[in-house]
Amino acid sequence: MVTVAPPRAELRAPARTPEAVALRPLRHLGPNWYATVMGTAIVASAGAAVPLDFPGFAAARTGVWALSAALLAAVLTARTAHWVLHRDQARAHLLDPAVAPFYGCLSMALLAVGIGTLTVGRGALGEQVALSAAVVLFVAGTVIALVAAVGVPCLMMVRHQVSPGSASPVWLLPVVAPMVSAAFGPLLIPFLPTTGQWRGTLLLASYALFGISLLATLLILPVVFARLVHHGPLPLALSPSLFLVLGPLGQSTTAVNKLADVAPVAIEAPYASAFSAFAVVYGVPVMGFALLWLALAGAMVLRAARLGMRFTMTWWAFTFPVGTCVTGAATLAHHTGLAVYEWLSLALYAFLVTAWAVAGSLTLRGLLRGELLAAPR
């Protein structure tokens, strides 16, 4: 009688415990899942910025902010488990030029929830608790933003195999994260001591973060546009990522206007007045370009939809970038006094809420069916 020995791999294979089987779906949980946190948090904070008030709206904003905080805790836990249990896959993500840029989303998720904590969650938590949580999220998010803004481009230069014509709006994710910090900084300045240089230091540090992100965006955006012109539209599943370009545009407009609001209490009068003028001189044309890109990206997404585009996690690109344009338009309305920006912020907010509801429901359905955590084909 001949006995066939099992393969050596089977001899070495450890017994699969129920816990290991339960955590296997985490193997393909990428950093792009932080987009669900960003997209949810911006619905709450943008809702606090628009000129909209009706019974129950404040409670709804607070509920959405609480949901974003819960999502942040859940995704952080799951991603930590991913690194512990599937370290090989996590390293593979870092070496994949299509996945590595999403590490910028970790920073923006922390910062987006932190902004919501100060603008929406303060009533629920109390001012001192909300401030403490916001400071922790700001510091952690800013440090990670700077690491991502340097680290991911370095990986692209020295480790990634980037083929010609592969440029994508996803490349913006690591470098736009410091811009979210720049918009967060002015919210903390009024809580700093009036004596000493604390307020002026944070003000100018926020402008430095603004410059880091803006100049990096100006390097990447022409490459992305050249790819579209010379190599045609993006693949159907990636078409929603065109909306990511709105992120640095809307967030930079928000940042300069928020910084101008607090400049008088942080720096000398001549510079404070200059910053106020710069907010409008910069914000108006950039918001105009954002509307142009919104029309272009919308046309490309409609084309993709006609060709059979199906739901993927890239649909979350319809949320956070549009939300930054909501806050950008709202801050311009405050500085210019023009009602047209108020109406623009309301129209964009309606789009944001609709996109969030659609992306959220389809994500939940994909999770329940096990489709979104399956191995990529």
Side-chain angles (χ1 to χ4, degrees), residues 252-336:
S252 63
T253 302
T254 303
V256 293
N257 281 274
K258 289 295 185 183
L259 287 165
D261 288 339
V262 297
V265 300
I267 205 166
E268 295 178 0
Y271 297 105
S273 300
F275 286 145
S276 181
F278 175 68
V280 176
V281 171
Y282 173 89
V284 171
V286 169
M287 186 56 61
F289 179 68
L291 294 177
L292 171 66
W293 191 270
L294 177 62
L296 175 63
M300 299 302 292
V301 167
L302 289 176
R303 171 189 175 276
R306 289 196 302 268
L307 294 176
M309 179 185 69
R310 303 179 64 182
F311 173 73
T312 65
M313 290 295 288
T314 57
W315 282 35
W316 282 95
F318 298 139
T319 57
F320 187 80
V322 174
T324 66
C325 292
V326 173
T327 56
T331 55
L332 279 176
H334 171 69
H335 276 261
T336 64

Side-chain angles (χ1 to χ4, degrees), residues 4-24:
V4 179
R8 291 189 178 184
E10 292 184 13
L11 291 173
R12 293 195 304 266
R16 288 194 289 178
T17 63
E19 292 80 4
V21 173
L23 291 171
R24 283 196 68 185

Side-chain angles (χ1 to χ4, degrees), residues 333-363:
H334 171 69
H335 276 261
T336 64
L338 296 178
V340 64
Y341 286 113
E342 293 184 352
W343 287 106
L344 176 60
S345 67
L346 289 171
L348 291 172
Y349 189 66
F351 179 92
L352 168 63
V353 172
T354 303
W356 172 72
V358 172
S361 60
L362 292 178
T363 300

